[in-house]
Amino acid sequence: LVKMVKLTLDLTKTIDENAAFYFEKAKKVKKKISGAEKALSESIRKLHELELKKEKIILEKSKQEKLKERKQEWYEKFRWFISSEGFLVIGGRDATSNEIVIKKHTAPNDLVFHTDMAGSPFFVVKSEGKQIGEKTREEAADATVTFSRAWKLGLHTSNVFYVNPEQVSKKTKAGEYMGKGAFMIYGKTNYINNKINLAVGITKKQQIMTGPIDAVKAYCEKYVALEQGNEKASAIAKYIQHKIGGIIDEIIRALPSGEFKIKKQL
């Protein structure tokens, strides 16, 4: 069926004038239809974007839940990294964990690292019966100064030494007392060059690993190198999560105390 369109002619106008009137009217109607089609198309586009955003949020939430369910290794409760030579290096987060690291997780042939600065963590290189190489000693020294108060104070190095586990003791002279997380060092101390040196990466097991750049590069496909700056941990952690993934709380927990900026890679 063909729908008939009723036209009303103005008898005071010529045929051409009536035709021109309906031509202009038709153009306006066509313009309105075009505008409505554009508005509809834009609405559909926005709905599609919202749907994709919703799916992305659901996917990210699911991913975060899976990461939280991941079974953690025993050493993840401490500061830790795997050296570029393959040695596990663990360190205290505070006085309590310093105490645990030294008392429960050192063995003969391990190496214990510390600084002359008060408030420094103890770091331990786990030898597992192997000879600890020079590169690992350097990385352990860098980690020790990086996670000490040197970071917050804006220092780039500090006096770092290493000793054997049997040289670390709670024994003191009569009348002296060693507080939690503090130990006496007996015998020869081996001082070693060091520098502030930090990167944050994510391993194939989805572990957040923080340590010297070379060590993190060796085990993490994605990583971010950091240096001292003026960005708070919460802000820098969001950037890191965007770059490498992981759980933001774990990233914040893995950082030293202080402020940060992204280090430009040469």
Side-chain angles (χ1 to χ4, degrees), residues 12 16 22 24 87 93 97 102 115 125 132 159 192 204 206 208 226 233 248 262-263:
T12 63
D16 287 343
Y22 278 105
E24 288 299 320
F87 291 88
R93 293 181 175 277
S97 53
I102 297 300
T115 78
V125 180
I132 298 170
N159 292 328
I192 180 170
K204 290 180 180 179
Q206 300 301 300
I208 295 298
L226 301 174
I248 198 158
I262 305 304
K263 185 173 184 176

Side-chain angles (χ1 to χ4, degrees), residues 74-172:
W74 66 268
Y75 51 77
E76 289 183 71
K77 65 181 72 172
F78 307 108
R79 298 204 180 280
W80 70 277
F81 67 93
I82 308 296
S83 79
S84 54
E85 295 178 322
F87 291 88
L88 172 64
V89 185
I90 60 173
R93 293 181 175 277
D94 50 29
T96 299
S97 53
N98 262 351
E99 195 91 8
I100 295 170
V101 164
I102 297 300
K103 285 185 174 181
K104 295 186 177 181
H105 296 291
T106 57
N109 300 319
D110 291 349
L111 289 178
V112 179
F113 288 73
H114 195 52
T115 78
D116 287 341
M117 186 184 299
S120 165
F122 279 91
F123 268 84
V124 175
V125 180
K126 301 297 297 172
S127 69
E128 302 298 338
K130 295 178 287 185
Q131 185 70 33
I132 298 170
E134 182 180 350
K135 181 66 172 174
T136 295
R137 293 198 298 272
E138 290 173 358
E139 289 172 353
D142 286 356
T144 305
V145 69
T146 297
F147 288 98
S148 74
R149 287 196 303 124
W151 184 283
K152 197 169 186 177
L153 293 173
L155 303 175
H156 297 296
T157 187
S158 183
N159 292 328
V160 174
F161 61 86
Y162 65 89
V163 294
N164 297 318
E166 58 269 23
Q167 294 177 249
V168 184
S169 174
K170 278 286 186 183
K171 292 180 181 178
T172 62

